[in-house]
Each structure stands twice: as structure tokens, then as C-alpha cells.
Amino acid sequence: LHGSGTTNPARLFWQVMEIIEERTKHDMHMTYRAVGSSTGQREFLGATNNNEALNDFGAGDIPMTNSRYQSVLAANRTMVHVPFALGAIGVFHSVPTAELPTSGEIHVTGCVLAKIMSTQITTWNDPEILALNPGMTATGTIQVVHRVQGSSSTAGFTAYLLQKCPADWTLGTGSTITWPASTNEAQGSSGMSAFIQSTPYAIGYIDAGHGHAANLGEIALQNADGNYVTSLSADIGASGTYAVTNNLLPTDPTADFSGVNLYDLPGATTYPIVLISYFYVNQDLSAMDPQTAALLLAFVNFIMGTEGQADAVTNLFSPLPQAILNYNQLT
């Protein structure tokens, strides 16, 4: 069984693959290549292979793009998206503790964040920041850091800013964008964490689990209900529950998911930037070797089960709410 795609769940997948191999009497070989969400999508489409998948499953923190989804359909294939975990994109900083506001955490709205990340606001004592943060004494120049090369975190973060404050975020969205020349670059979540740790007055976006593992300070973002929340204080699963109960996920799992997102959804404790991590799987597995097909189903079901979801938490994801688990069972 061979999969490829997003780097974020690689440790989770490898851990589960080892468990399945240990518990199974058959000889088997399971691999997952952490090559990025976009590559996982391209290999699942298999445009260089007569549109036959180059992997047994793909995985990504973003839904299949509309163009790739249409290409799958054009090849007389039907695919399903299977959500397997939720992840928050946190905004982390390195403002010294002694210079934080009276509340102990920095509050920003989506529009103030858009201005900071696009360098329209360049110092921590800007009036717009101080108005939200009584008692803050920081005066340093803001050091914006962003991911370099393609990243689903960049795609999700910039899509949120564009949706939340289009008047102030004019840099577009995507896995890569053109950032202002005065900003800083880092590779991967570990590179982002290392830059923020080593650079005073920095700010950047990281999948929340990695940011907390590095013990970074987190910005409290204003959510749709007007409350300031961090990824720790918020209910990450609330976005997934809202998405299912309000039909933000297609009722048909074989439909186009490219417009699905969990940005800025209502709820007193809902976090505003949440990504769904998906399996990309062919609906019809009858052309696959029967034992490989059985192993694929066992792997997906394990990840969605009680033990797999607990492993997801230990690997820095948020577990799926029951509403999405029910949705997956129907799929």
C-alpha cells in the first residue's frame, strides 16, 4: 500500500502503518511519502500515467483543486474526499513577556493581522495594535516571517485573510504568493518556529501543534463572534461540526470539494483558521488488488477509529468531531 501527499500527518501515518504491520499475519509493505499536498493531488490524478493514479491514496490539508477534480472525472474515475483530522493555523510571536499587554496575550482582528502580514503596519506600538492591547509596551519593528515554497499552511492562511479583510489583504492567495521584500522566509513548520524563537519581535503562521511544541507565544485572533481566541482556548472541532450541520461539506462525497473551507465560522469559542486534512481515494476499488484494497480500507478506518484519532492528537492534530465521523461512515 503506497500513499503520498501532505507532510503534516506523515508521523501519524508511519506510526499507524507500523501498528498494522505488527498486528497482521500477512507479509505486507506500507509506505507514505511526505511530498506536500499538491504533489499528493498530482500523483493521485496521474496525468503522466494516462490519468491513472500513481499512488493508492493521496492526502492533503486542502481539497482537490477544481481543475484536478475535473481531470479525474474526465478520466472516467470517481473520487471521494475523506476527512481524517482537523488542524488550526496559529499565529505565533516573539514579543518579550515584559512588553505584553495587561491581558497577557496580544489581541488582533483579522484586518489588523492582514495589515501586519502585508507590512502596512510595521511596529508593535502602531496605534491600531495598541488600541486592541491596553498596557502593551512593545516598540520593536515587526519581523514578518512566511513559508517559502509551496505550503498548504500558506494557502489556508492567505485564503482566510482574503476572505476576512479583502480591502487590506491584496497579495492574493495560494500555496505560494509574492510577499513584500522586507519580510523574512523560512522552510517548513520547523523553520518558522526556529525563526520566531531566535528573532525578537517576530510574527508568523504555523500549524498550531508545532507552534505549541516549540513553546511559542500565540496571538489571540478575533473570531466571527467577536471573541479573542487562541488555538488552545478555542474549540477546533466546532468548525467541523458547523460545516456538517450547515451543509458546508457536499452531501455527496464524490462531489467537488474545492470550495470547502472552515474559515471564520460562527461560534463563541470557534477558532477562525481551521484546515481539514483529507484522504483522496478512488470510490471504485474493484480494479485494485483485493488485498491492497482491503489494506487501504483497514488503514483509513484505523485512522478514523478511536485509537487512530488518539494517535492523531499525540501527533499534534485535533480529533474529528462526531458529525464528521458520521459523515465519513456514510462515505
Side-chain angles (χ1 to χ4, degrees):
L1 180 71
H2 303 292
S4 63
T6 171
T7 61
N8 287 342
R11 286 186 218 171
L12 168 64
F13 286 175
W14 295 331
Q15 178 181 341
V16 169
M17 286 177 172
E18 287 183 359
I19 291 171
I20 292 176
E21 288 174 345
E22 289 170 355
R23 296 179 184 176
T24 306
K25 292 183 178 180
H26 280 286
D27 291 332
M28 62 175 59
H29 182 52
M30 303 175 73
T31 69
Y32 179 76
R33 290 180 302 108
V35 289
S37 297
S38 293
T39 302
Q41 291 188 7
R42 288 194 298 269
E43 294 189 357
F44 181 77
L45 170 60
T48 61
N49 191 41
N50 296 319
N51 288 329
E52 293 183 10
L54 295 164
N55 50 27
D56 295 316
F57 69 90
D61 303 314
I62 49 178
M64 187 73 68
T65 65
N66 175 263
S67 61
R68 290 177 186 143
Y69 172 78
Q70 295 299 333
S71 295
V72 170
L73 294 185
N76 294 316
R77 292 166 51 194
T78 303
M79 66 166 292
V80 293
H81 285 75
V82 182
F84 65 83
L86 300 178
I89 301 298
V91 183
F92 294 90
H93 70 88
S94 57
V95 174
T97 301
E99 300 175 15
L100 292 175
T102 306
S103 67
E105 60 185 16
I106 300 172
H107 292 181
V108 300
T109 65
C111 289
V112 168
L113 181 60
K115 291 178 182 179
I116 291 172
M117 299 304 294
S118 60
T119 67
Q120 298 174 63
I121 291 176
T122 58
T123 61
W124 284 107
N125 63 346
D126 186 276
E128 289 196 65
I129 295 178
L130 295 183
L132 300 173
N133 295 280
M136 186 167 174
T137 60
T139 60
T141 299
I142 299 173
Q143 298 294 325
V144 173
V145 61
H146 59 83
R147 291 279 294 267
V148 66
Q149 300 183 4
S151 163
S152 56
S153 295
T154 300
F157 182 69
T158 57
Y160 160 76
L161 292 177
L162 182 62
Q163 177 177 308
K164 183 67 175 178
C165 207
D168 293 312
W169 183 257
T170 59
L171 302 181
T173 184
S175 60
T176 59
I177 66 168
T178 301
W179 293 86
S182 61
T183 58
N184 303 278
E185 297 181 344
Q187 176 59 40
S189 297
S190 59
M192 293 285 286
S193 297
F195 182 92
I196 295 171
Q197 283 178 318
S198 62
T199 308
Y201 302 106
I203 186 173
Y205 55 93
I206 313 173
D207 54 286
H210 285 90
H212 293 303
N215 294 314
L216 300 176
E218 186 177 6
I219 298 284
L221 293 180
Q222 187 183 53
N223 66 13
D225 280 27
N227 300 319
Y228 290 93
V229 294
T230 67
S231 60
L232 285 180
S233 67
D235 181 355
I236 305 302
S239 293
T241 301
Y242 183 92
V244 174
T245 56
N246 289 273
N247 296 320
L248 300 186
L249 296 180
T251 54
D252 180 358
T254 68
D256 180 7
F257 274 61
S258 61
V260 174
N261 71 67
L262 304 185
Y263 308 140
D264 207 38
L265 297 180
T269 60
T270 300
Y271 190 73
I273 316 177
V274 177
L275 302 184
I276 303 175
S277 295
Y278 299 98
F279 288 116
Y280 315 129
V281 185
N282 282 312
Q283 184 188 40
D284 183 356
L285 303 180
S286 61
M288 187 179 287
D289 174 84
Q291 293 190 70
T292 301
L295 185 55
L296 173 58
L297 288 174
F299 177 71
V300 171
N301 281 320
F302 189 102
I303 295 285
M304 292 190 301
T306 302
E307 188 175 357
Q309 288 295 290
D311 290 337
V313 172
T314 63
N315 282 276
L316 310 178
F317 283 96
S318 295
L320 292 175
Q322 190 62 45
I324 290 186
L325 290 172
N326 295 342
Y327 178 90
N328 285 342
Q329 288 303 318
L330 293 174
T331 300

